[in-house]
Amino acid sequence: MERATVIVAIDGPSGTGKSSTSKAVAAQLGLSYLDTGAQYRAITWWMVTNGIDIEDPSAIAAVAGKPDIVSGTDPSAPAITVDGTDVAGPIRTQEVTSKVSAVSAVPEVRARITELQRSIAADAEHGIVVEGRDIGTTVLPDADLKIFLTASPEARAARRSGELKGSDVQATREALLKRDAADSSRKTSPLAKADDAVEVDTSDLTLQQVIECVVTLVEEKRAGK
């Protein structure tokens, strides 16, 4: 039986298990995978590398169309390049992390990256899991299934500091809340839960439980098509 193509939008703040869940679900169900946060990190890395003033939105807007960002959609090895350079490692540095909210708040940057995300989703032959912060609300409002992952600030900080080996949980919690505030209050495509999204609180769930929950939701959606 030919399975229905399914487009899944997974949104939520950082530290909710979004990336790990999205990758695992895509791999398990034979879907493509797109980490939209990596695209914003990639354009931020390009701005930093090219000496663009991150404090000046007009300077960022003026060059938003310049970098050539290519995202791989294989969930087992999601690649990302900028102008042919592999940036999967460099985009995860603290320098990029601290500047990504400012760059991604610029409307011209969001328009550019959103267009890129929509074309990748449209080209996904068997369907795709797209994770980010404004996928269900802005990028793919017609997604077949929208999921919004949440977790308590404490649970998120514990996870994130576990990922960033040895980092201070309290400092991590404060950084996450600051990032939330910036992402939720920006004028263009703020972090928000779509009205028709299924909310999953991951605070007390293991990663495996979250994956199972999302896989079940996707399978139900596929079966009902």
Side-chain angles (χ1 to χ4, degrees):
M1 183 187 103
E2 183 58 35
R3 284 197 154 169
T5 300
V6 64
I7 291 182
V8 183
I10 299 185
D11 289 306
S14 48
T16 51
K18 210 167 45 194
S19 291
S20 308
T21 301
S22 300
K23 270 187 274 203
V25 168
Q28 207 167 312
L29 297 176
L31 302 172
S32 297
Y33 160 75
L34 179 62
D35 174 0
T36 64
Q39 295 175 313
Y40 284 107
R41 286 173 172 274
I43 200 164
T44 301
W45 174 85
W46 185 90
M47 299 280 172
V48 170
T49 306
N50 285 277
I52 309 301
D53 182 0
I54 302 299
E55 306 294 315
D56 181 358
S58 60
I60 292 171
V63 293
K66 284 196 164 180
D68 177 30
I69 299 167
V70 177
S71 297
T73 57
D74 176 356
S76 59
I80 185 156
T81 63
V82 178
D83 297 335
T85 301
D86 176 358
V87 294
I91 63 172
R92 302 291 168 187
T93 61
Q94 188 50 48
E95 185 180 21
V96 170
T97 300
S98 65
K99 296 182 167 77
V100 70
S101 280
V103 173
S104 59
V106 176
E108 288 81 358
V109 169
R110 295 208 79 80
R112 162 88 201 284
I113 301 291
T114 296
E115 190 185 336
L116 191 57
Q117 291 161 0
R118 284 178 180 154
S119 68
I120 291 170
D123 290 343
E125 203 178 329
H126 302 293
I128 190 167
V129 177
V130 183
E131 57 124 328
R133 285 173 165 75
D134 66 338
I135 310 308
T137 50
T138 303
V139 180
L140 300 168
D142 298 329
D144 299 301
L145 175 64
K146 301 175 189 179
I147 295 168
F148 194 86
L149 297 184
T150 62
S152 68
E154 291 68 30
R156 293 166 54 207
R159 276 184 202 142
R160 190 40 70 93
S161 56
E163 289 167 19
L164 308 164
K165 301 287 180 274
S167 66
D168 177 343
V169 174
Q170 189 55 38
T172 303
R173 180 179 182 274
E174 282 164 22
L176 285 173
L177 291 174
K178 190 175 164 193
R179 174 85 195 267
D180 287 356
D183 289 344
S184 303
S185 61
R186 64 166 177 252
K187 289 189 176 67
T188 309
S189 307
L191 164 68
K193 177 183 169 231
D195 294 337
D196 53 348
V198 179
E199 187 166 323
V200 179
D201 187 332
T202 69
S203 304
D204 301 319
L205 301 177
T206 64
L207 175 59
Q208 198 49 48
Q209 287 171 321
V210 179
I211 292 165
E212 282 166 19
C213 171
V214 175
V215 164
T216 302
L217 288 168
V218 178
E219 291 288 32
E220 283 170 1
K221 179 56 74 171
R222 267 180 168 174
K225 280 199 130 174

